[in-house]
Amino acid sequence: MAQLILGNGVVVGNNRRPYIIAEVNSSHNGDVDLAKQMIIEAKACGCSCVKFQSWSQESLYAESYYKENPIVKRIIKKFSLSKEQIKELRDFCFEQQIDFASTPYSEEEVDFLTDVCQVPFIKISSMEINNLDFIKYIAEKGKPMIMSTGMASYDEIEAAVAVIRKSCNHQLAILHCVSVYPVDPGVVNLNNITSLIEQYPEYPIGYSDHTIGSDVAGAAVALGAGIIEKHFTLDRSKMGMDNNMATEPVMMKELVNICNVIWSAMGSKERILSKEELEQQHKMRRSLMTRYNLEKGTILKDEDLIAKRPGTGIPVNQKEILIGKKMNKSLEKESIISWEDVK
């Protein structure tokens, strides 16, 4: 079974208990205190990890774009986090005993996350999947990677995976993703999870969920996804880049619970009868009984027998073995027959 060992020893993999990432993105609005409150809430919801975004004005857009769209520059400046703030949030996550991660958008940000923050994994954004030089740089850092595949064709996914393989870093998990915010469940194509599991049996497959609600994430777990990423906010009503489609704590807690319940319910492909179900056999199955009063010495025939509850006697599917046996005691009508009653 494909699995990935994160830098802190946590194991993620297909059909394992889902590793649930609360994607904060910019919902902290550049406020570190608000970001810390989100970390506390994500922990309370049962999330495995809180993930931020390590972008700046320089690493995201070109200066020429800012000149044409000055409001974007102001937004990026307001919502971005400095290295010092990122490190402060990393330390706070450590105190709260929840994993910290971030998505880098430059080599400098990769270096900071791996060398200074010692993140358990590097998240590769969907927008970078065709940025093969950047993916190569990340892979060569030797850290575990989780790569989203939004907007990518299978050929583009394969090209990115090929670069990672060539780097000799095989610590990779791949997330199915549709980069629409929010996305209609009708175009999510969750069966892509199955396709990715078949195409990359050596790598864990997960799902980055941009739908509203918990149902689609739960279905992804049922298909084997071992990682679920979900945008997180404390208040969807506030203005923000994608805050209106993020998940508030009540719904996030429900999502975590649904994913864990579904994972638990999926169980094993092996047919296993629990102790409780075996006990039900005695209550719900039928036993072979006498159809009417039978005297000692009677040679049992098919018409002498009837099958009724409880199932504490000879099982009904052993009737052919019982036929032809001689009664060594008399039994009243509808008495349960035991092997001790016959020769």
Side-chain angles (χ1 to χ4, degrees):
M1 184 183 297
Q3 65 180 31
L4 172 66
I5 302 175
L6 303 182
N8 56 1
V10 172
V11 180
V12 298
N14 299 343
N15 300 304
R16 296 180 70 95
R17 180 181 292 277
Y19 183 83
I20 299 177
I21 302 170
E23 165 62 87
V24 173
N25 194 8
S26 60
S27 292
H28 50 69
N29 294 330
D31 183 338
V32 172
D33 289 336
L34 178 58
K36 289 180 177 180
Q37 186 59 41
M38 295 179 76
I39 291 168
I40 292 170
E41 291 292 338
K43 170 73 175 180
C45 290
C47 295
S48 313
C49 176
V50 181
K51 192 182 77 64
F52 292 86
Q53 301 270 344
S54 293
W55 39 253
S56 65
Q57 293 179 54
E58 293 75 24
S59 64
L60 211 53
Y61 289 99
E63 190 60 38
S64 58
Y65 181 84
Y66 289 136
K67 288 179 180 178
E68 297 175 3
N69 303 275
I71 190 171
V72 174
K73 188 172 186 177
R74 292 197 295 271
I75 291 171
I76 296 300
K77 183 177 181 180
K78 173 179 171 56
F79 289 166
S80 64
L81 296 169
S82 68
K83 289 181 181 179
E84 293 74 21
Q85 290 172 321
I86 289 286
K87 180 61 165 56
E88 183 179 349
L89 293 173
R90 180 267 184 199
D91 293 344
F92 189 76
C93 281
F94 186 80
E95 293 172 8
Q96 298 299 315
Q97 297 184 320
I98 187 170
D99 290 356
F100 167 90
S102 190
T103 304
Y105 292 87
S106 70
E107 292 180 3
E108 183 182 2
E109 290 159 354
V110 173
D111 293 342
F112 181 76
L113 291 173
T114 58
D115 303 341
V116 178
C117 294
Q118 293 290 309
V119 290
F121 65 90
I122 289 289
K123 174 66 192 300
I124 301 175
S125 167
S126 288
M127 65 170 275
E128 306 290 6
I129 199 163
N130 67 340
N131 189 355
L132 300 184
D133 286 343
F134 187 53
I135 290 175
K136 178 175 181 288
Y137 186 86
I138 293 172
E140 289 179 345
K141 296 295 287 187
K143 286 280 188 180
M145 298 160 287
I146 297 178
M147 182 174 70
S148 282
T149 58
M151 304 176 287
S153 66
Y154 275 122
D155 287 344
E156 289 174 322
I157 296 170
E158 178 57 30
V161 172
V163 166
I164 292 169
R165 282 173 173 157
K166 193 173 181 180
S167 75
C168 296
N169 183 349
H170 303 292
Q171 302 174 88
L172 175 66
I174 301 170
L175 305 187
H176 171 54
C177 176
V178 178
S179 294
V180 179
Y181 310 88
V183 62
D184 188 302
V187 297
V188 165
N189 292 317
L190 275 189
N191 280 323
N192 276 205
I193 292 172
T194 303
S195 298
L196 288 169
I197 288 173
E198 292 171 353
Q199 187 170 352
Y200 300 107
E202 70 271 44
Y203 301 131
I205 305 300
Y207 173 56
S208 182
D209 185 24
H210 297 148
T211 65
I212 302 296
S214 308
D215 296 344
V216 177
V221 172
L223 289 173
I227 303 169
I228 298 294
E229 182 180 70
K230 188 79 169 178
H231 282 249
F232 184 57
T233 183
L234 299 185
D235 186 354
R236 286 178 57 191
S237 67
K238 291 185 177 180
M239 295 295 292
M241 292 170 124
D242 54 11
N243 193 65
N244 65 325
M245 54 76 61
T247 303
E248 293 178 340
V250 171
M251 183 62 74
M252 181 63 88
K253 189 171 185 177
E254 177 183 305
L255 180 144
V256 171
N257 182 61
I258 286 173
C259 288
N260 284 327
V261 167
I262 289 175
W263 168 77
S264 178
M266 293 304 293
S268 169
K269 289 183 179 180
E270 181 184 355
R271 185 69 180 177
I272 299 173
L273 298 180
S274 66
K275 176 184 176 182
E276 292 77 11
E277 193 174 16
L278 288 171
E279 290 173 352
Q280 288 292 83
Q281 291 180 355
H282 299 304
K283 299 176 183 178
M284 301 183 69
R285 286 188 170 181
R286 297 173 185 263
S287 296
L288 291 168
M289 302 185 184
T290 55
R291 188 181 294 272
Y292 29 70
N293 295 340
L294 291 180
E295 298 296 325
K296 179 179 178 180
T298 300
I299 304 299
L300 290 173
K301 301 182 294 297
D302 186 288
E303 55 266 31
D304 294 329
L305 304 173
I306 192 170
K308 290 189 176 184
R309 286 180 174 178
T312 52
I314 298 172
V316 65
N317 60 350
Q318 295 185 28
K319 183 172 69 171
E320 294 303 317
I321 301 174
L322 190 61
I323 291 174
K325 294 287 192 293
K326 184 177 181 179
M327 299 284 296
N328 59 22
K329 64 183 291 188
S330 297
L331 291 176
E332 295 181 352
K333 177 181 178 181
E334 295 194 0
S335 294
I336 294 177
I337 303 174
S338 70
W339 291 115
E340 288 74 23
D341 297 331
V342 296
K343 293 182 179 178

